[in-house]
Amino acid sequence: MDSTASGGLINLHGEWQLSSADGEHGVAMAVPGDVHSALAAAGVIPDPYFGRNEDVVQWVAEREWSLERRFALSDVSGDWYLDIDYLDTVAVVFINDVPVLSADNCFRRYRPDVTQALLPGENTIRIHFHSNITAGAERQARQPFYIPYSTGNCPIPNGNMLRKPQCHFGWDWNIAIAPFGVYGTLSLKKLDPARIEHVESEQVHHADGHVELKVAATIYAAEPAVVAVHFALDDERVRLDVGISAGETKVVHVFEIENPRLWWPSGSGEQALYTLTVDLPGETVTRQIGLRTVELLTDPDEAGSRFALKVNGREIFCRGANWIPADALFSRSSEEKTTDLLNSAVAAHMNMIRIWGGGFYEADWFYDLCDRLGLMVWQDFMFACNLYPCTEDFLDNVAHEVEYQVKRLSSHASIVIWCGDNELVGALTWFPESRDNRDRYLVAYDRLNRTIEQGVKKTFPQGIWWPSSPASGYLDYGDAWHADGSGDMHYWSVWHENKSFDNYRTVKPRFCSEFGFQSYTSLPVIESFADKAEMNIASPVIELHQKNAGGNERIAGTMFRYFRFPKDFANFVYLSQIQQGLAIKTAVEYWRSLKPHCMGTIYWQLNDTWPVASWSSLDYGGSWKAMHYMVRRFFQPVAVAAIPAEDGTSISLSMVNDTLDAVTIDANLFVLTLSGDRIPLKSVQGDCGPDAADVLVTLDASEIPADGLLAWSFIASNGMSGEGHFLNGTYKSLDLEPSRLETTVVPTVDGGFEITVTAHGLALFVMLESQTAGRYSDNAFDLSAGESRRIYFTPAAALPAGTVPDFRIYDLYTCQSAD
């Protein structure tokens, strides 16, 4: 919600003074902002992300801290309130030493009346933050029985006691520093005579096509009054003079839209949006409205039951990734950086992100951006991988959180599903306490889950509710990790159980909402946090920047399974990214070929919160890893992929079409020899219906020589094209010949660079990299002997005239050859 007010408003953003409660430290802090960033900027602590500094900043979260500033108020008459959200987390707010708010939920908005605390002239506001560590321990001690948390993820204990991002206490990809601060609105406002508390909307789509948009504005006043309320939808504007009571009054207006422009997910149609405004004298709330219907299909079938989203009457195959907070520290994030991350998702043909339950409910502008980009949002409630209290005070706090967040967010066209939590059902089996007394903890979980569900259904009856992720169905508390017949699935056997990539083809999910494989973050990012002496996979700094137990060993072990070992650290990093891309490609291509049995592949994860080895396809900072370039190919709406038979005797080329129109695909198949020659095999043509998957051609495996690769290029009648190769075996078995790559770099008039890459032998997984941040038109591609490719590099920021970046080039042969 964008809220502006004129008169009677003091914006309290800006510079505050931060001090430790013991008086030892005092520095300036920008609000919105976080404590760690302020201390780092002042030199009190080193950069937490560099080297092993995570270990030396632990004391910050153990202390109590105060933020303070002054403001002037010439006239204190009337009713005044503090407007604050994203207050993280256990904090007491004082005005002139009078406590006006005791807060303990980062996910609620607080609007306490502060009239009695104000003085004419200069006033002081102070926010006292309790240590999250101490607060968590105190609350755990008050529970009627112990509530386990995921010690493997969270080295800082008892985060499950607090309503703040669970990953702040550590995760298997996040730094553990339990930050605190103020991340959102912080202002003093006069109630004159009323304010807008919520704006909600509800859509009714009629058979003749017209839409009723019911808009409900909740108005709050201290005393009864008559106010003029304006409702506007684009150019249609109405005025209602409304008598309101003390407290909350709901005012409703219905817009009739005869010829609606519908909102569609990216790739399926237009992202049509209407501007809705509701205003009172002195306050305007603006919302972006997309008109669309959404259904979740869970019909029973032979395999179990479906899990498919239908938007505007059309089933949509969901292609996407999981979203985690944009940064571990709020002050290091920005709307610009997040916009870049989400634009990268759309650029890789994604139409969905899942906002995972261990982070934040994102800011309003985030969902506005998803609306504009056509990114459907799977919205988890913020509970993840732990067990949680079921005491009355905790559930009451959750109920307020759910009501506020659903009222705030429910008008967004992008949010298509509301999910109760992440992996809480699975967590019942992770702890000795819950294994020994499952009934007790299952009842506790059910109370929490029902509180969330009832809050959603009461606040937004139109919302699609899904109880948990993964889940096989409503009130099904079974194993959704390996059961693929119904519901959504998290499939982690390839990573966590060290199964082969082929193992992805042993399951047939209806919708896979988590699956992933790790790689190292790119070398330029590693160089931002590690000194040259630390460039070793077993160095303490590299190990500290790997948060998944056994992760480094698993990356290396997988390399032994599929590849010859790389010759140095830089190539180890490169090859880790190639194998990450191959893992996820194997899963996505097979599961897309099962359409409509499978209707969604949402991999883990899109982004990183800090520089770390992880499952992300985007580096911290937003650069594309090798996998993201591969994602753009295997998520293309029309794609061709090789799917081997289970017994390995044949290889089918699958064609998948996520568009509304039938396509004809023309493909050329050939054998790639180890010297890089292309030997034509056959040309084939196939038709693929709208929203369908089919087989283009099936080859006998004997048609591909043991020392050769099957390769293909295709073009579809809608203009989409692509290429690929398939190896029936492991890359380490190939006696690759020298690729003899050459590059030339020429500046372009727009400030970019044209890089021509030429191979004189077989070059697999050619990857360009530079210390200069930027985007390549393509990467992680193959070249045959004598083939050249022009790649365009666009720097993230303009370079000084005459500057030409240094480009490093990798490929599979040079990665493992000492030549």
Side-chain angles (χ1 to χ4, degrees):
M1 183 190 294
D2 296 322
S3 186
T4 57
S6 59
L9 166 66
I10 296 178
N11 185 341
L12 294 171
H13 288 177
E15 184 175 300
W16 291 53
Q17 292 302 307
L18 172 69
S19 59
S20 53
D22 57 14
E24 186 178 347
H25 300 288
V27 302
M29 175 170 157
V31 172
D34 67 84
V35 168
H36 285 80
S37 294
L39 295 174
V44 175
I45 61 171
D47 178 357
Y49 295 0
F50 188 83
R52 299 163 72 183
N53 289 342
E54 176 183 2
D55 294 338
V56 302
V57 303
Q58 291 300 309
W59 63 271
V60 175
E62 296 164 0
R63 302 267 183 111
E64 299 197 355
W65 297 86
S66 282
L67 268 179
E68 187 171 302
R69 68 164 286 173
R70 292 179 172 81
F71 62 91
L73 197 60
S74 56
D75 181 5
V76 297
S77 62
D79 295 300
W80 292 82
Y81 65 97
L82 195 63
D83 195 1
I84 185 167
D85 61 11
Y86 291 101
L87 175 58
D88 183 14
T89 284
V90 182
V92 180
V93 182
F94 299 85
I95 293 180
N96 301 321
D97 290 327
V98 176
V100 295
L101 172 65
S102 181
D104 68 347
N105 190 325
C106 185
F107 309 129
R108 288 174 63 178
R109 179 185 65 190
Y110 296 100
R111 288 182 158 182
D113 184 306
V114 299
T115 307
Q116 300 305 315
L118 295 172
L119 300 171
E122 189 173 77
N123 292 259
T124 300
I125 181 169
R126 175 168 51 93
I127 305 174
H128 185 91
F129 293 96
H130 292 282
S131 161
N132 292 311
I133 298 172
T134 303
E138 289 172 350
R139 292 177 184 219
Q140 181 72 266
R142 293 201 298 267
Q143 297 304 310
F145 50 86
Y146 180 70
I147 312 296
Y149 65 93
S150 182
T151 53
N153 277 337
C154 303
I156 297 177
N158 302 314
N160 56 337
M161 296 292 105
L162 302 181
R163 297 307 302 135
K164 74 179 257 108
Q166 298 296 273
C167 66
H168 278 179
F169 299 89
W171 218 259
D172 57 4
W173 38 261
N174 199 34
I175 188 171
I177 51 178
F180 25 38
V182 184
Y183 312 143
T185 302
L186 181 49
S187 56
L188 183 69
K189 295 180 179 177
K190 188 173 186 179
L191 198 61
D192 189 21
R195 68 178 182 237
I196 300 172
E197 204 75 341
H198 305 286
V199 172
E200 302 162 80
S201 65
E202 179 182 328
Q203 303 176 19
V204 180
H205 291 248
H206 292 276
D208 64 1
H210 94 273
V211 176
E212 291 176 13
L213 181 69
K214 177 182 173 184
V215 181
T218 302
I219 312 296
Y220 176 85
E223 303 290 341
V226 175
V227 294
V229 185
H230 290 93
F231 291 85
L233 188 69
D234 282 1
D235 297 329
E236 182 182 349
R237 181 173 166 88
V238 298
R239 170 178 171 148
L240 302 177
D241 291 307
V242 182
I244 57 173
S245 308
E248 292 187 352
T249 302
K250 190 167 278 193
V251 182
V252 176
H253 179 72
V254 178
F255 291 97
E256 299 281 351
I257 305 157
E258 294 301 326
N259 298 297
R261 296 175 294 118
L262 296 182
W263 181 93
W264 288 92
S266 178
S268 296
E270 182 191 2
Q271 286 76 59
L273 293 166
Y274 294 76
T275 300
L276 170 69
T277 60
V278 178
D279 63 72
L280 299 175
E283 182 177 20
T284 300
V285 169
T286 303
R287 285 284 172 84
Q288 196 170 255
I289 302 294
L291 301 175
R292 55 99 178 108
T293 62
V294 60
E295 303 167 70
L296 177 62
L297 307 180
T298 55
D299 318 74
D301 60 13
E302 289 181 5
S305 59
R306 303 201 66 210
F307 192 101
L309 283 163
K310 182 185 275 192
V311 179
N312 300 329
R314 179 187 161 199
E315 289 188 31
I316 305 287
F317 190 98
C318 299
R319 306 179 304 265
N322 282 266
W323 172 267
I324 60 175
D327 206 292
L329 291 171
F330 172 83
S331 297
R332 299 191 179 199
S333 67
S334 70
E335 189 169 344
E336 181 184 18
K337 291 176 184 176
T338 296
T339 298
D340 181 62
L341 295 171
L342 294 180
N343 278 329
S344 289
V346 174
H349 300 295
M350 295 187 201
N351 61 14
M352 174 177 269
I353 57 167
R354 172 176 174 244
I355 298 181
W356 167 78
F360 285 100
Y361 306 93
E362 294 291 341
D364 296 291
W365 59 259
F366 181 101
Y367 299 94
D368 286 340
L369 182 57
C370 290
D371 293 339
R372 294 195 298 272
L373 292 175
L375 275 173
M376 293 181 286
V377 171
W378 170 309
Q379 178 67 57
D380 278 1
F381 287 89
M382 293 299 118
F383 302 88
C385 298
N386 293 313
L387 303 185
Y388 289 90
C390 64
T391 52
E392 268 188 49
D393 61 332
F394 187 87
L395 295 183
D396 180 66
N397 201 354
V398 169
H400 282 91
E401 168 189 325
V402 171
E403 179 186 22
Y404 166 63
Q405 293 293 347
V406 174
K407 285 181 175 180
R408 179 174 75 95
L409 298 175
S410 57
S411 291
H412 287 282
S414 53
I415 300 179
V416 294
I417 191 167
W418 302 80
C419 177
D421 61 71
N422 176 80
E423 298 184 358
L424 264 57
V425 176
L428 289 165
T429 68
W430 297 350
F431 309 105
E433 295 87 353
S434 52
R435 288 195 298 269
D436 293 344
N437 196 343
R438 181 176 169 86
D439 288 354
R440 165 187 276 177
Y441 290 95
L442 179 59
V443 168
Y445 167 73
D446 187 61
R447 286 180 179 172
L448 172 64
N449 194 250
R450 289 298 182 96
T451 298
I452 302 167
E453 179 187 10
Q454 288 165 6
V456 174
K457 291 186 172 176
K458 178 183 176 185
T459 306
F460 186 47
Q462 286 187 309
I464 290 175
W465 163 257
W466 189 244
S468 181
S469 185
S472 295
Y474 189 64
L475 293 180
D476 186 329
Y477 300 109
D479 176 16
W481 298 80
H482 300 91
D484 57 0
S486 304
D488 76 309
M489 185 179 196
H490 291 187
Y491 195 66
W492 281 104
S493 293
V494 172
W495 175 257
H496 286 302
E497 298 172 34
N498 205 28
K499 303 277 178 126
S500 70
F501 295 170
D502 294 335
N503 180 262
Y504 283 123
R505 301 192 195 100
T506 67
V507 292
K508 298 180 178 181
R510 309 318 298 263
F511 191 109
C512 202
S513 46
E514 272 193 31
F515 60 103
F517 200 89
Q518 266 202 1
S519 73
Y520 285 96
T521 188
S522 300
L523 189 62
V525 179
I526 293 174
E527 289 171 341
S528 75
F529 67 77
D531 295 325
K532 198 165 187 178
E534 297 285 347
M535 299 295 171
N536 185 296
I537 59 172
S539 77
V541 167
I542 300 299
E543 288 192 336
L544 187 74
H545 289 248
Q546 163 64 273
K547 295 302 184 182
N548 184 234
N552 289 350
E553 294 93 325
R554 202 160 297 129
I555 291 172
T558 303
M559 240 176 242
F560 278 123
R561 179 181 285 166
Y562 292 110
F563 299 98
R564 300 184 188 189
F565 214 64
K567 63 187 178 186
D568 58 21
F569 180 74
N571 280 285
F572 185 87
V573 171
Y574 153 77
L575 195 54
S576 79
Q577 293 197 6
I578 297 301
Q579 76 175 9
Q580 176 194 32
L582 288 173
I584 302 309
K585 175 176 179 283
T586 302
V588 169
E589 289 182 339
Y590 178 61
W591 295 339
R592 286 189 77 187
S593 79
L594 302 177
K595 182 180 174 175
H597 172 91
C598 176
M599 286 300 290
T601 55
I602 311 297
Y603 67 81
W604 187 270
Q605 68 214 56
L606 180 66
N607 57 305
D608 274 334
T609 57
W610 72 308
V612 67
S614 84
W615 299 265
S616 71
S617 63
L618 298 174
D619 279 320
Y620 178 70
S623 293
W624 291 23
K625 290 184 179 178
M627 183 170 113
H628 207 78
Y629 291 98
M630 297 163 82
V631 170
R632 185 171 60 185
R633 296 195 279 270
F634 63 64
F635 268 173
Q636 186 172 259
V638 176
V640 171
I643 311 292
E646 197 172 337
D647 61 6
T649 59
S650 63
I651 303 159
S652 294
L653 282 188
S654 157
M655 49 183 177
V656 63
N657 174 20
D658 287 348
T659 74
L660 201 52
D661 301 310
V663 294
T664 299
I665 290 176
D666 287 285
N668 292 314
L669 283 58
F670 46 92
V671 171
L672 269 178
T673 70
L674 298 187
S675 59
D677 295 329
R678 294 158 64 111
I679 302 172
L681 195 59
K682 61 180 69 177
S683 296
V684 293
Q685 185 180 80
D687 296 321
C688 194
D691 271 335
D694 212 335
V695 174
L696 176 62
V697 65
T698 299
L699 304 174
D700 193 285
S702 63
E703 296 182 63
I704 314 301
D707 59 350
L709 296 84
L710 170 65
W712 64 90
S713 61
F714 77 90
I715 186 164
S717 53
N718 67 354
M720 293 183 189
S721 61
E723 60 186 19
H725 78 251
F726 176 77
L727 174 63
N728 205 2
T730 61
Y731 290 94
K732 69 181 180 181
S733 69
L734 300 177
D735 288 321
L736 293 172
E737 298 179 21
S739 50
R740 304 196 303 279
L741 289 169
E742 295 177 359
T743 60
T744 60
V745 180
V746 178
T748 57
V749 293
D750 59 359
F753 299 88
E754 181 182 287
I755 309 161
T756 302
V757 184
T758 303
H760 296 283
L762 177 62
L764 299 176
F765 309 118
V766 178
M767 185 81 188
L768 292 159
E769 181 180 86
S770 175
Q771 284 285 354
T772 302
R775 192 77 35 88
Y776 300 85
S777 59
D778 198 9
N779 230 334
F781 53 85
D782 300 334
L783 293 174
S784 55
E787 188 180 3
S788 294
R789 185 164 305 193
R790 268 187 263 182
I791 304 298
Y792 293 91
F793 175 72
T794 306
L799 301 179
T803 303
V804 178
D806 288 325
F807 293 99
R808 179 167 185 155
I809 189 162
Y810 302 88
D811 79 307
L812 190 56
Y813 171 79
T814 53
C815 166
Q816 60 193 30
S817 169
D819 295 347

